[in-house]
Amino acid sequence: MTLNRIASAACTVAAAFALCMTACSTNAGFGTPSSGAPPLNNGYPQNGAMPLPSGASPLPSGAVSGPYNLGPNGGPGQPQAGSSPAAMPSALPDTVSIAGATLHLAYDGAATDPMKAARILEVSFALQNTTSSAKKVSSISVASDTGVLGTRKISVSASPNQMSAVALVTVRTSDDPRKFKQLKVDFLNDAGKSIASSTLDVPVIDQSVTPLDEHHPKGDVSIDSVDVSRVDANMGQKYEVTFAVTNPTNAQVSITHLAIAPPKGAVARVVLPLNIAARSVSSFVSVVLPYNGKSLPAGSYTVSAMKNSTTVAKASSSLL
């Protein structure tokens, strides 16, 4: 799913979104491109970046592990210890704003058949605060032109003169979000007053694979660009896994399901069958999964692409 992030322009901070995954022209897409401004770094490619085949040079990281100190005029300042520097949008002094808001769709890994389940709508953003007091986003409201489709209570805070870490929030909607071209997202404070609103495009399912370069060496099927991100669920622990699949062989590869194993706890079996054409790399797939524990464990999360009981490919990554 990664997807390692690429810092783009001055108005980008790093974030999400997942391109669609597909097998061949008859398979449903897996995940979607992100909408809106270039996304904040939270486990997704930026600006339509394609996954890297196995053996290719890695994408630059540029992640914001956040929070970030802002300069005196609201522009980039010095990162706090433990965070990674990245380009950030400037903001007016003494303002509270939302940076890099994006929408994308992911599969519900807890569903019996994720391919038939309604897609999970996800919102990525950061809270930018150039005031002298702490600020907080306490809830998100998503609406179409006919009314509110879903809300989510959250807790995303930014200290004075800082930008928060990137938040990735899932919102259950009363209608399938794919029915709409655009949705309005309101970011509300403790008093229920809007901090900011953004009208964002709903990503379209893309069913495409990209042929490998003719010079790409033959080899085994691989899972590439794996990212594991924490989801701000406010309803139990959840995490998202994003990755792509590279097939450098001369034959189509079939996958019946995924086995996703956290460092501790049960292995999740996610039924997402796909066929990947010979000599091609898929676009990204994103799956949101619950974790039955008090907190998400640090360590390596493993993704295995399975054909019945046979492991086709396996890769792992640490929780961001």
Side-chain angles (χ1 to χ4, degrees):
M1 134 185 130
T2 78
L3 327 166
N4 293 315
R5 316 130 195 248
I6 306 174
S8 64
C11 59
T12 70
V13 194
F17 269 316
L19 296 180
C20 319
M21 167 114 183
T22 153
C24 57
S25 60
T26 59
N27 284 95
F30 288 62
T32 60
S34 57
S35 69
L40 295 167
N41 186 350
N42 203 30
Y44 306 100
Q46 296 194 53
N47 300 331
M50 291 303 296
L52 289 179
S54 178
S57 299
L59 297 170
S61 56
V64 172
S65 53
Y68 205 101
N69 293 322
L70 302 180
N73 296 318
Q78 294 299 316
Q80 289 188 342
S83 64
S84 301
M88 296 193 308
S90 60
L92 295 174
D94 200 30
T95 60
V96 180
S97 58
I98 299 298
T102 63
L103 293 180
H104 78 282
L105 303 173
Y107 281 91
D108 183 357
T112 303
D113 187 347
M115 294 189 73
K116 294 181 179 179
R119 300 297 181 265
I120 295 176
L121 181 66
E122 295 188 309
V123 183
S124 308
F125 71 97
L127 177 62
Q128 184 161 314
N129 177 19
T130 63
T131 73
S132 59
S133 60
K135 300 298 179 181
K136 178 181 177 183
V137 176
S138 297
S139 63
I140 286 179
S141 176
V142 177
S144 68
D145 54 1
T146 60
V148 175
L149 297 180
T151 60
R152 168 73 79 188
K153 289 187 179 297
I154 58 173
S155 181
V156 177
S157 299
S159 299
N161 206 39
Q162 284 190 359
M163 175 178 283
S164 73
V166 174
L168 174 62
V169 182
T170 59
V171 180
R172 294 286 182 179
T173 56
S174 57
D175 249 325
D176 190 330
R178 291 175 298 173
K179 293 174 58 176
F180 305 98
K181 291 184 178 180
Q182 290 186 323
L183 292 173
K184 180 184 178 184
V185 182
D186 279 310
F187 302 87
L188 311 173
N189 61 18
D190 281 333
K193 294 183 178 180
S194 178
I195 293 174
S197 296
S198 297
T199 299
L200 303 172
D201 293 337
V202 177
V204 178
I205 292 289
D206 180 10
Q207 300 181 17
S208 64
V209 292
T210 302
L212 293 173
D213 183 273
E214 61 181 1
H215 299 296
H216 186 89
K218 295 181 180 179
D220 296 328
V221 178
S222 61
I223 296 176
D224 300 306
S225 302
V226 179
D227 256 9
V228 184
S229 302
R230 187 183 307 273
V231 174
D232 299 282
N234 233 26
M235 292 178 64
Q237 299 294 324
K238 290 188 179 180
Y239 63 100
E240 181 179 81
V241 178
T242 302
F243 61 93
V245 181
T246 302
N247 176 17
T249 73
N250 289 324
Q252 176 178 283
V253 169
S254 296
I255 294 172
T256 58
H257 66 281
L258 307 171
I260 301 177
K264 299 177 182 177
V267 176
R269 187 179 190 274
V270 182
V271 182
L272 286 177
L274 72 144
N275 299 310
I276 303 176
R279 303 288 300 168
S280 66
V281 56
S282 76
S283 48
F284 295 107
V285 52
S286 291
V287 181
V288 173
L289 293 156
Y291 181 75
N292 295 322
K294 292 183 178 180
S295 62
L296 291 174
S300 184
Y301 289 67
T302 300
V303 181
S304 298
M306 308 294 295
K307 183 176 182 180
N308 301 319
S309 59
T310 302
T311 301
V312 176
K314 179 186 293 187
S316 61
S317 182
S318 297
L319 179 69
L320 293 175

